[in-house]
Amino acid sequence: MKVSIRRVLVWISFGVSILEGVGGVGDDRKPKRWAVLVAGSQGYGNYRHQADVCHAYQILKKGGLKDENIIVFMYDDIAYNPLNPRPGIIINKPNGPDVYRGVPKDYTGAAATAENFFAVIRGNRSALSGGSGKVLKSSGRDTVFIYFTDHGSPGFVSMPVGPPVAAHEFVEVLKKKHAAKSYKKMVIYLEACESGSMFDGILPNNLNIYVTTAANPHENSYAFYCPNGKPPAPPNYTTCLGDAYSIAWMEDCDKSNMWKETLQQQYETVRQRILWSSHVMQYGDQKLNNDFLVSYFGAPYQPSDNESAYSFEPSRETRHSQRDAHLLHLRLELQKAPVDSEEKMKAQRDLDDEISHREHVDNVILLIANLLFGGENSSTMMLHYRPPGQPLVDDWDCFKTSIKTYESLCGTLSSYGRKYTRFFANMCNAGISVEQLKAASSQVCPEKNKTF
C-alpha cells in the first residue's frame, strides 16, 4: 500500500510540472502562467471584440489561471449598452453561454490605452494612469500569453482610447521584456486586419516569443456570427458576435482536450478553418510551436466536449471584413428602427455620416497620392506590398510623423481610414519627405474638412 501511495505522489508531482509548463528542480517558487487580454475597440458595433476577450478569459479561468495573473483591457460599454438585447450578458456565438460573468475590470474606459498596455507588459506600475494597477509581474520561470483582438491596419492595432499600438513600439517593449529576463516563454495571438504587419520583418526569432496572426500583412480579418451570416446571430442582434480567427482557436479549446494539443496543432486547425477568409501566419520562435497549449492556457479538470460549438460553414457572400462590420451594424439599426421615429432619423444620420466619412477619406488620399506620385503611379504606391520578411517601412519615425501630419490637416483617420496607412509607409520608403506630404495635404484639405 505504501508503494502505491508513493507512485501516486510521483505522478501528481509530474502532472503539476506539465501543467505549469516551465521550471524544474531547484526553482525557488512554482512557475506561473500569465495572460494579458485586450479588446482594442469601443462601441456596440464592435461587440465582437469584447465578446472575444470575455470568452478567452473563461477558457483561461477554466484552465486554472488565477484572476491575479489575468489582466484584461476592454472599454466595457457592451454588456449594459442600451442596444444589447440581453442586458448584462455577452455571448460569443449564437445561443452561447454568458462569457461576461466574472471578467476582471482591470483597464476599462479611459484607462484602456496603449500607454497602459505597454506599462502592463513591462511590469511598470509607476507608468500607469488609472486602472486596477495589475501588471505583468512575471519572472524568468513564467509563461505569458497575450491575446489582442481589434481593428488593425498596416503597422498598427487600435486601442479603445488614445493613439493606436504601433508595430515597432510593441516589438521594442517585447525586446526589453526579454532583456529583463522576466518571462521564460511567450505566446501572442493577434486578431486584426493586416495583423501580420505587426511582426513581419520586425520580430526577432530569438526572444522565446511565438506569434500567430489572423491575417498576413496585407489582408483583412473577418467578423463572424453576424446577423446575416451562416449561422446568424440571434434575432434582435444588429452586430457580429465574434471574429473568425478568434472563434476558431477558442472553440478549438472548448472542444479539444488541451492536455494533448500543441500550439502547432492548434495553428493548423485554425488555419484550415478560416482559409475561406484570410491566411493565419506564424512569426517569432518556431521552436515553441511544439509546446502544449496547457503550458499557456492551463487545463480544465474536466475537459469539455462542447457539442454546441458551431463548425465553420461560412458563405463568402455573407462575410464581413472588420472594417465593414460597423457599416452592417448601422444599416441594421436603420432597418430595425420604427418608421418616422426619432430612432429612425438618428440611425439614418449615423449611416450617412459614416458613408460620407469613408468617401471623404477615399477621395482625399487619392488626391494626395496623385499630387505626390502622378496619376499613373498613385494606385501602385497606395497598394504596393513588400516581399515577406521585410518590414512595412524602413523609417518608422517618418511613418508616424507622416500620419500625424495628414491627420492635423485632413482629419483623424478612423478604423476605416487607417486601411491607408500602407500608403504613408510606401511614401516614406520612396523618399517622399514630410514637408512634401504637408504641402500636398494643405492643397487637398481646406479648413472645412477638418471636421471629419
Side-chain angles (χ1 to χ4, degrees), residues 93 119 144 149 206 229 268 301 358 381 394 402:
K93 64 182 180 183
V144 175
T149 176
N206 61 352
E268 292 293 344
Y301 292 109
R358 291 177 179 224
M381 294 309 300
D394 295 323
S402 295

Side-chain angles (χ1 to χ4, degrees), residues 7-301:
R7 287 178 178 173
V8 170
L9 291 174
V10 169
W11 171 248
I12 291 174
S13 176
F14 177 69
V16 169
S17 177
I18 293 177
L19 275 173
E20 296 300 342
V22 293
V25 177
D27 283 352
D28 293 331
R29 65 164 181 81
K30 236 177 15 176
K32 295 180 180 178
R33 301 186 199 87
W34 292 81
V36 181
L37 311 177
V38 184
S41 65
Q42 59 171 286
Y44 186 74
N46 292 314
Y47 181 109
R48 62 196 182 279
H49 297 141
Q50 294 184 48
D52 291 340
V53 155
C54 291
H55 188 177
Y57 166 80
Q58 302 299 340
I59 290 171
L60 297 174
K61 188 69 174 177
K62 188 172 184 180
L65 274 72
K66 300 177 180 178
D67 281 355
E68 65 192 58
N69 299 123
I70 304 174
I71 304 168
V72 177
F73 284 77
M74 65 178 186
Y75 200 72
D76 197 27
D77 61 343
I78 300 302
Y80 293 97
N81 193 292
L83 298 178
N84 187 4
R86 302 176 65 187
I89 291 175
I90 295 177
I91 58 176
N92 199 215
K93 64 182 180 183
N95 305 315
D98 177 20
V99 294
Y100 184 65
R101 182 186 297 272
V103 175
K105 311 294 176 51
D106 292 310
Y107 297 93
T108 63
T113 65
E115 291 82 0
N116 279 347
F117 175 59
F118 289 152
V120 163
I121 295 175
R122 293 195 306 264
N124 185 1
R125 293 193 65 177
S126 64
L128 292 171
S129 177
S132 68
K134 284 164 62 177
V135 295
L136 201 57
K137 297 186 296 184
S138 53
S139 77
R141 303 177 184 87
D142 299 342
T143 60
V144 175
F145 173 58
I146 298 176
Y147 168 55
F148 204 122
T149 176
D150 178 36
H151 287 291
S153 61
F156 294 102
V157 287
S158 297
M159 289 296 289
V161 178
V165 172
H168 67 297
E169 293 174 347
F170 186 24
V171 171
E172 283 303 312
V173 168
L174 296 176
K175 288 178 180 178
K176 291 177 181 177
K177 188 74 173 174
H178 178 263
K181 299 180 179 180
S182 54
Y183 67 91
K184 185 172 184 178
K185 298 177 182 179
M186 183 183 296
V187 166
I188 301 174
Y189 282 14
L190 178 56
E191 168 85 68
C193 293
E194 291 96 11
S195 44
S197 67
M198 295 293 292
F199 303 102
D200 194 21
I202 309 172
L203 181 70
N205 60 9
N206 61 352
L207 301 182
N208 293 332
I209 296 176
Y210 168 83
V211 176
T212 71
T213 62
N216 66 29
H218 50 80
E219 66 184 357
N220 292 330
S221 67
Y222 285 84
F224 201 65
Y225 296 145
C226 298
N228 63 344
K230 182 182 177 183
N236 299 323
Y237 281 84
T238 59
T239 187
C240 303
L241 305 182
D243 295 290
Y245 163 86
S246 296
I247 289 169
W249 77 259
M250 287 189 285
E251 290 191 3
D252 179 58
C253 288
D254 286 337
K255 296 188 72 172
S256 69
N257 187 335
M258 287 191 294
W259 287 79
K260 299 179 180 179
E261 191 166 349
T262 65
L263 291 166
Q264 179 65 26
Q265 288 171 323
Q266 183 164 88
Y267 162 77
E268 292 293 344
T269 296
V270 174
R271 186 179 68 85
Q272 290 296 328
R273 291 186 79 185
I274 69 168
L275 273 175
W276 58 272
S277 65
S278 60
H279 296 85
V280 181
M281 304 298 292
Q282 294 176 310
Y283 300 100
D285 189 345
Q286 301 300 297
K287 296 191 299 296
L288 271 61
N289 62 14
N290 290 319
D291 286 1
F292 289 95
L293 296 178
V294 64
S295 300
Y296 305 90
F297 300 168
Y301 292 109

